[in-house]
Amino acid sequence: MRFSLGKFTLPVYAVLAFIYLLIPIVYTFVFSFNNSLKTNLIWRGFTLDKWTNVCQREGVCEALSNSVMIGLISTVVATALGTMIAIALVRYRFKFRSSINLLLFLPMATPEVVLGAGLASQFFNLGVQKGIWTIIIAHIMFCLSFVVVTVKARVASLDPALEEAGRDLYANPRQVFWRITFPLLLPGIASAALLSFALSFDDFIITNFNAGSDMTFPRYVYTAAARGVPAEANVVGCAVFLLAILIVLSTQIRGEVKRRRLAKKH
Amino acid sequence: MAKEFVARGADLELKQIRKEFPGFVAIDNLDLHVPAGQFFALLGPSGCGKTTSLRLVAGLETPTKGKIFIGGKDVTSTKPHERPVNTVFQSYALFPHMSVLENVAFGLRQRKIDNPLVRAKEALNLVQLPHLADRRPQQLSGGQQQRVALARALVNRPSLLLLDEPLGALDLKLRREMQIELKAIQMEVGLTFLHVTHDQEEAMDMADTVAVMNLGHIEQMGAPEALYDRPKTVFVSKFLGQSNLLVGEVTSSSANSISIEVAGNKISVPKARAEKHKGKIAIGFRPEKATFLTKKPASSASTNVIGPGVILDIRFTGTSNQYLIEVPELGNITVFAQNIGQSPVIQLGEQVWISWAIEHSFGLSDLPAKSEKA
Ligand SMILES: Nc1ncnc2c1ncn2[C@@H]1O[C@H](COP(=O)(O)OP(=O)(O)OP(=O)(O)O)[C@@H](O)[C@H]1O
Ligand SMILES: [Mg+2]
């Protein structure tokens, strides 16, 4: 008896943990099909309307497009800057190198409320009008640390002899970067970019401190939550979730296909 | 506009090179001249600065002091990609994100040479790997990677090819084949090869000139036969083949030769084959140049004799045996004897005298360290 109990403990525990993790997502998903009126608390019947007419509800799509734009700009800037910092930190010896390494962890360790409030007071002191650009600046700031940490690991694992071989084979420093360093760092840079976008897209606290009247998606949901989140917000949430799953799956499948093809060839 | 291949090798000259790493002098006073079109081997123990020397020539390190000339041009301050030099790296350094073929074509593409893939395929044929062109380097064995690295450098036909132990990971048969192939390519194209190795047989077999390096400087340099026949320092005599060394004060000197006195034996060396002619010197001879006798021979003007000694150990090595002989007050002497008749030619524990021609002795410029058994 004890034996079979032990045999089942792990699977049962795993299933329970999964259910626990998935309940909020399933709930969001199911209620994105709710034929709701003003609030989306009670099941009122199935409809596809919310999926087909997301932008019908005032504010949802404006907030969404703001969030996507902010996410894209901060991701591009933070990834480019962060990659350069990461390479410099691994490859070059300079004064204050170790202190910079330490400082980069600060934004990750500091509570977001503190960061957000601190930045907001800076903008206030400088007389900067809050808006989309202050949000972007704030996002670049906190994404940067994550990019540096992610890419740095990749740079550290890169054999400097490869770049030397490139230089030896007639490539000038720029060609070495684009033909050797960059392609080899690409997996790290790509995951840093995805991470940045995800962080930026769902940031609420820092954004809220530094946004003027501009809405981002998390702010919209937060504000709407007082009256009950509209089903359209569920639709957006689910869509983002599905997109993320799709990205993960497609990279997995691509890797698998490549592996199979090579295995077949030889 | 496609550039033409460089068809001829260039000579290399290092002048008074010194290279310091933080807190460590890796190379000091290095002077080296490699004539154009030569197969030049740099031979030395691990850590003596061979790789560092090649990196200086390739431009991957800058010398602390001194100048580097390639084809008569001062390249000391030029960048690696501007030098007509390619390297086969000790660690291969193949690009993991490119196929084998693309690896080989890399240098050609950089220089915008016509038909890079055709030429790359030819280079892969040369190293006997055409069937692996589409693979990634990670999917090759160590020896295969090494050959790809060789092809990647060779395909560029550089005026000067630097090879950092390019055959180290190959088995004996493949190694022999690659040695012959390398030598053939070098002769055919007339490139200058600077070949680093710590395999002395490889160096002597392939090179026109061998330079023996130790502790960051060149100990001795010359044709393999000359180097073997007349080493000038203790290090060279022991590193290139084996040697027996005898140390003593010079006691007599004639018109053509000098002699030392060791443990009651008079050992002579021709003056022309000795670095020093007075004071305490070391005289050496090669184990295969000596023979042993079971009876004390009559003294002769043309041979050196030591003994009697006792056979301490016999090691069978195939075509010959190595005999270790303990001579009182002199230490252990090694003699090789061919297994022509019976093997071994003499039994363990027998008493023998050792004799070799005076003209096979060589006098060294330095003395073995005290702890070193002569
Ligand atoms: N970047 C460096 N910083 C400090 N010391 C170094 C550096 N590179 C090499 N050295 C030292 O310089 C010496 C020569 O190194 P090098 O790599 O040239 O040896 P090598 O002759 O190629 O040896 P091996 O046969 O093992 O490859 C070594 O003692 C090594 O520790
Ligand atoms: Mg080396």
Side-chain angles (χ1 to χ4, degrees):
Chain A
M1 209 47 211
R2 264 186 72 224
F3 175 73
S4 63
L5 200 69
K7 207 166 99 181
F8 286 119
T9 317
L10 194 61
V12 168
Y13 172 75
V15 168
L16 284 179
F18 252 108
I19 291 175
Y20 177 60
L21 283 176
L22 286 176
I23 279 180
I25 297 169
V26 172
Y27 173 88
T28 310
F29 191 64
V30 170
F31 273 76
S32 72
F33 297 105
N34 189 10
N35 192 4
S36 61
L37 300 169
K38 268 211 156 110
T39 63
N40 190 17
L41 292 171
I42 313 156
W43 185 252
R44 285 177 196 275
F46 181 85
T47 177
L48 284 175
D49 286 356
K50 314 290 172 183
W51 277 85
T52 47
N53 304 317
V54 204
C55 291
Q56 210 75 313
R57 178 66 67 119
E58 208 191 320
V60 172
C61 283
E62 289 82 352
L64 178 65
S65 72
N66 276 347
S67 272
V68 170
M69 185 185 78
I70 293 168
L72 287 178
I73 297 178
S74 351
T75 297
V76 168
V77 177
T79 308
L81 286 178
T83 301
M84 290 192 272
I85 296 175
I87 292 175
L89 281 176
V90 178
R91 285 294 160 79
Y92 302 103
R93 323 265 127 197
F94 49 87
K95 252 191 195 164
F96 309 124
R97 196 180 82 138
S98 44
S99 13
I100 289 175
N101 260 323
L102 205 66
L103 278 174
L104 279 165
F105 274 95
L106 272 186
M108 290 195 263
T110 316
E112 283 197 42
V113 185
V114 179
L115 269 188
L119 208 58
S121 59
Q122 290 303 310
F123 285 136
F124 179 77
N125 282 339
L126 292 171
V128 179
Q129 183 77 41
K130 285 185 196 167
I132 296 280
W133 286 103
T134 50
I135 300 176
I136 290 177
I137 291 171
H139 283 200
I140 291 173
M141 184 197 70
F142 72 73
C143 287
L144 198 58
S145 300
F146 289 94
V147 173
V148 173
V149 171
T150 313
V151 178
K152 225 177 78 178
R154 189 84 196 176
V155 180
S157 72
L158 185 70
D159 182 1
L162 295 174
E163 287 164 325
E164 289 177 349
R167 292 202 277 155
D168 187 66
L169 291 163
Y170 313 106
N172 65 32
R174 219 187 47 223
Q175 292 166 327
V176 168
F177 181 81
W178 287 114
R179 293 204 58 194
I180 294 161
T181 319
F182 183 75
L184 290 173
L185 294 184
L186 197 56
I189 295 176
S191 42
L194 283 177
L195 183 65
S196 289
F197 187 81
L199 286 171
S200 163
F201 188 81
D202 80 356
D203 179 76
F204 172 72
I205 301 175
I206 294 179
T207 310
N208 208 36
F209 273 106
N210 294 289
S213 56
D214 297 285
M215 270 300 158
T216 63
F217 187 65
R219 280 189 93 202
Y220 175 83
V221 174
Y222 180 78
T223 320
R227 285 169 283 124
V229 182
E232 285 81 356
N234 290 29
V235 171
V236 172
C238 290
V240 171
F241 174 75
L242 290 177
L243 189 71
I245 296 275
L246 211 68
I247 292 175
V248 172
L249 275 182
S250 71
T251 48
Q252 294 258 324
I253 289 171
R254 252 191 59 193
E256 181 66 14
V257 166
K258 217 172 180 176
R259 215 178 50 79
R260 290 249 173 101
R261 214 180 37 213
L262 277 169
K264 212 190 288 169
K265 223 171 197 171
H266 306 292
Chain B
M1 188 35 220
K3 287 186 203 155
E4 242 330 287
F5 267 175
V6 177
R8 292 229 52 83
D11 70 324
L12 166 73
E13 194 159 12
L14 302 183
K15 278 192 179 154
Q16 285 295 308
I17 297 286
R18 181 182 169 87
K19 176 66 189 172
E20 292 170 12
F21 290 114
F24 183 78
V25 180
I27 288 178
D28 200 12
N29 267 332
L30 183 72
D31 275 304
L32 192 66
H33 181 241
V34 182
Q38 258 212 355
F39 200 115
F40 192 97
L42 199 55
L43 186 64
S46 187
C48 72
K50 303 183 298 288
T51 298
T52 308
S53 307
L54 288 196
R55 290 173 60 81
L56 286 166
V57 175
L60 299 170
E61 305 275 2
T62 22
T64 314
K65 227 186 71 194
K67 295 227 168 294
I68 300 170
F69 298 85
I70 296 174
K73 246 178 60 196
D74 185 351
V75 296
T76 317
S77 53
T78 58
K79 297 270 179 304
H81 66 271
E82 297 159 347
R83 300 190 186 189
V85 171
N86 286 115
T87 309
V88 181
F89 290 85
Q90 196 169 11
S91 60
Y92 322 141
L94 299 176
F95 306 128
H97 59 297
M98 295 179 196
S99 69
V100 164
L101 189 67
E102 278 302 326
N103 262 281
V104 178
F106 188 92
L108 299 172
R109 286 199 195 283
Q110 285 304 321
R111 285 164 65 207
K112 305 202 168 24
I113 305 278
D114 281 341
N115 306 323
L117 290 181
V118 176
R119 288 184 202 262
K121 282 212 178 91
E122 282 168 15
L124 281 177
N125 277 332
L126 206 63
V127 294
Q128 307 171 14
L129 290 178
H131 54 295
L132 301 181
D134 297 329
R135 280 212 206 166
R136 291 293 166 104
Q138 307 87 290
Q139 299 166 314
L140 303 183
S141 74
Q144 291 168 340
Q145 290 183 34
Q146 204 162 44
R147 282 184 282 161
V148 174
L150 195 60
R152 187 178 67 175
L154 261 179
V155 76
N156 299 297
R157 298 279 185 272
S159 342
L160 176 59
L161 188 67
L162 307 177
L163 304 118
D164 199 347
E165 307 200 24
L167 310 176
L170 306 182
D171 63 73
L172 202 62
K173 180 171 169 286
L174 195 55
R175 194 169 172 145
R176 283 278 160 242
E177 283 174 32
M178 292 308 296
Q179 283 175 0
I180 292 166
E181 201 62 69
L182 259 185
K183 185 80 190 161
I185 294 166
Q186 190 262 338
M187 304 256 266
E188 184 184 307
V189 196
L191 304 178
T192 312
F193 276 36
L194 180 49
H195 181 103
V196 158
T197 174
H198 45 220
D199 177 347
Q200 44 156 311
E201 263 180 53
E202 186 174 297
M204 302 223 270
D205 182 37
M206 298 173 78
D208 302 312
T209 308
V210 176
V212 180
M213 195 167 180
N214 186 29
L215 302 172
H217 68 274
I218 303 284
E219 286 257 344
Q220 193 180 344
M221 187 170 122
E225 301 81 9
L227 217 55
Y228 185 81
D229 181 54
R230 235 206 99 188
K232 292 182 178 171
T233 64
V234 172
F235 179 82
V236 175
S237 76
K238 299 270 182 184
F239 194 77
L240 218 61
Q242 293 186 38
S243 293
N244 297 302
L245 299 184
L246 305 164
V247 181
E249 290 283 341
V250 174
T251 49
S252 63
S253 165
S254 72
N256 309 325
S257 66
I258 50 173
S259 308
I260 59 173
E261 203 56 53
V262 266
N265 304 285
K266 185 179 166 194
I267 309 294
S268 306
V269 60
K271 269 188 175 162
R273 290 175 59 86
E275 289 297 294
K276 276 177 20 181
H277 292 175
K278 44 180 185 297
K280 197 172 179 186
I281 65 167
I283 292 178
F285 63 97
R286 297 290 186 184
E288 72 278 9
K289 297 274 163 53
T291 52
F292 26 58
L293 313 150
T294 44
K295 280 209 272 303
K296 187 175 166 84
S299 66
S300 134
S302 61
T303 53
N304 287 321
V305 175
I306 49 177
V310 174
I311 305 279
L312 206 62
D313 185 35
I314 302 175
R315 281 176 59 197
F316 180 68
T317 59
T319 54
S320 72
N321 279 356
Q322 300 189 8
Y323 302 84
L324 191 66
I325 302 141
E326 188 180 23
V327 183
E329 292 175 62
L330 271 181
N332 293 340
I333 301 290
T334 308
V335 172
F336 299 163
Q338 291 272 324
N339 292 325
I340 294 167
Q342 69 189 104
S343 161
V345 291
I346 207 159
Q347 294 304 321
L348 222 54
E350 272 192 72
Q351 194 182 56
V352 290
W353 280 261
I354 300 153
S355 128
W356 70 98
I358 286 177
E359 72 213 48
H360 287 152
S361 303
F362 45 82
L364 303 176
S365 62
D366 54 351
L367 299 171
K370 271 273 167 355
S371 59
E372 230 175 303
K373 270 267 158 64

